[in-house]
């Protein structure tokens, strides 16, 4: 792997940019690997990267049915924060946030992590109570989160409508300054490049069609559209399709898959300096470095794998955006799209060993997995390499739905997750 | 937005009138307190989440307000049929749905 640097740019400028090498190789699949990761999204590629980089396991294949980063990694609204209520969630999301800081240097790839601040709005007494509880819980866990008055919120984000006669007036806000955004594609590409350089095989257009198990129940490998590929360890990181893959191994999951939509506006000059979220009117917005407003909507109400959703869901979100930011009422929206998110009953992820020996699963990130990408990959690689969870992901088992030891961010995080 | 046929109103109405109520034909145990943890997990948390034909409940909340069941393809979001609550899970789907069942 040739290092990217200012000197490399200068060198290639002289050579008419003919010396750039492919960022990752596309080898033919081998017959057998030590570890197979199903799904080349951010979490899967990060897992492969940390398997190679931290645990020295380089005989790894990442299988992807479509193209790299073409699922939810390329479809989310790129928001990063760690202000979750419960200790377990705070642990894993803040582990990720600490890795975001310095990720570009580690990967030698600009993931454009921008800690521009995530501001969550309160519109009524209940919101104030909930958000202040978050602020206090976060500070006890060593996570920055602070309470803002409406005037301070307006100063932090000038286009915000804080007038008292708004239908849902802003009565306060919680601000996590370390929160922000990153370039989602670059995260997938950076991890892919780092993993590939360490010997990991990234195999695109290779759909897993079955999971083979030995007579003793252990995993032997996977059937794919490019033939059988053997491995003693298989990690399923397939987002909305995780339950489909797990069913192939005979494991039924506490998951349901829903469409989640997002949209972007025409590009404009810098106007939104931070991320603004409101759970009550349900909208979240930030501005990409290209100038597009990036807006996240809610999920549709029914199970679907269609990667599309109802227009009324987008309308509902835009109603809220126009309420919060009246200056955007005449903006044109350029594109909208949907992704399929796998949601657990308690809205917390599952990163765990499964009842099948050699089969591991990293799923259930629901509507908010992007922010956790580095932390998720880091602890999941540990789980696969050691056949034992990292202390950070130890609470995120499948068995919690039998024991009742839930991590109930459904109530804690409300809808915007 | 989906168009959904309510089997009670016998009319196709926009999705906005309806509320999805999750997977259908999950029977609640008569003695729920006596269920084992395994059985309770299956009843309460585990879902089939199929890619293809799903049997699900809907409620015509802004109409007749009644619950009913539907068969839908989760790849195309097209409804195969709807039927009244309490009716058994259809063992055979209508012929015009062959194209979706084949998946």
């Amino acid at each position: 792997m040739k290092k990217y640097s200012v000197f490399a740019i200068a060198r290639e400028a002289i050579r008419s940019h003919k010396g750039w090498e492919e960022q990752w190789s596309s080898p033919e699949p081998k017959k057998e690997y030590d570890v197979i990761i199903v799904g080349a999204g951010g979490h899967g590629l990060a897992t492969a990267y940390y398997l190679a980089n931290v645990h020295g396991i380089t005989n790894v294949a990442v299988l992807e049915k479509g193209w790299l980063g073409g699922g939810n990694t390329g479809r989310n609204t790129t928001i990063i924060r760690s202000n979750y209520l419960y200790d377990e969630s705070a642990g894993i999301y803040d582990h990720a946030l600490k890795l975001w800081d310095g990720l570009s240097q580690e990967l030698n790839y600009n993931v454009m992590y921008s800690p521009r601040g995530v501001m969550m709005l309160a519109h009524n007494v209940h919101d104030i109570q909930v958000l202040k509880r978050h602020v206090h819980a976060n500070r006890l866990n060593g996570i920055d989160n602070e309470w803002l008055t409406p005037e301070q919120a307006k100063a932090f984000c000038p286009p915000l409508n804080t007038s008292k006669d708004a239908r849902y007036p802003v009565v306060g806000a919680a601000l996590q300054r370390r929160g922000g955004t990153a370039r989602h594609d670059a995260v997938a590409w950076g991890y892919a490049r780092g993993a590939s350089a360490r010997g990991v095989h990234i195999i695109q257009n290779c759909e897993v069609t079955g999971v083979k198990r030995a007579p003793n129940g252990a995993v032997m490998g996977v059937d794919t559209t490019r033939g059988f590929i053997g491995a003693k360890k298989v990690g399923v990181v397939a987002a909305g399709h995780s339950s489909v893959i797990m069913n192939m191994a005979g494991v039924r999951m506490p998951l349901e898959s829903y469409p989640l939509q997002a949209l972007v506006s025409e590009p404009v000059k810098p106007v939104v300096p931070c991320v603004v979220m409101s759970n009550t009117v349900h909208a979240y917005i930030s501005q990409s470095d290209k100038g597009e407003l990036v807006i996240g909507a809610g999920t549709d109400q029914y199970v679907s794998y269609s990667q599309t959703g109802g227009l009324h869901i987008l309308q509902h979100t835009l109603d809220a955006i126009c309420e919060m930011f009246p200056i955007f009422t005449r903006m044109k929206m350029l594109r909208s799209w949907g992704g399929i998110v796998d949601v657990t009953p308690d809205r917390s992820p599952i990163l765990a060993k499964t009842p099948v020996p050699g089969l591991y699963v990293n799923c259930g990130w629901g509507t908010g997995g992007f922010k956790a990408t580095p932390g998720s990959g880091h602890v999941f690689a540990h789980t696969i390499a050691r056949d034992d969870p990292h202390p950070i992901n130890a609470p995120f088992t499948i068995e919690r739905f039998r024991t009742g030891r839930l991590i109930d961010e459904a109530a804690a995080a409300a809808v915007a997750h | 937005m989906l168009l959904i046929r309510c089997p009670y109103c016998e009319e196709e109405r926009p999705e906005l009138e309806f509320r999805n109520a999750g997977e259908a034909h999950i029977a609640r145990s008569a003695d729920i307190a006596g269920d084992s943890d395994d059985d309770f997990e299956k009843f309460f948390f585990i879902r089939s989440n199929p890619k293809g034909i799903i049997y699900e409940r809907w409620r015509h909340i802004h109409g007749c307000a009644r619950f009913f069941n539907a068969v839908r393809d989760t790849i195309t979001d097209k409804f195969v049929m709807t039927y009244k609550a309490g009716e058994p899970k259809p063992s055979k789907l209508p012929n015009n749905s062959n194209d979706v069942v084949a998946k």
Side-chain angles (χ1 to χ4, degrees), chain A residues 29 38 62-66 203-209 223-227 229:
Chain A
V38 182
V62 185
L63 308 183
E64 168 57 48
K65 73 168 176 176
I203 299 159
Q204 303 180 70
N205 297 311
C206 178
E207 182 174 356
V208 171
T209 53
D223 290 315
T224 74
T225 47
R226 294 172 71 171
I229 306 174

Side-chain angles (χ1 to χ4, degrees), chain A residues 239-258:
Chain A
H241 284 73
S242 295
S243 65
V244 175
I245 307 282
M246 293 300 284
N247 268 331
M248 294 173 187
V251 182
R252 297 191 71 210
M253 297 294 287
L255 289 173
E256 288 190 298
S257 298
Y258 298 100

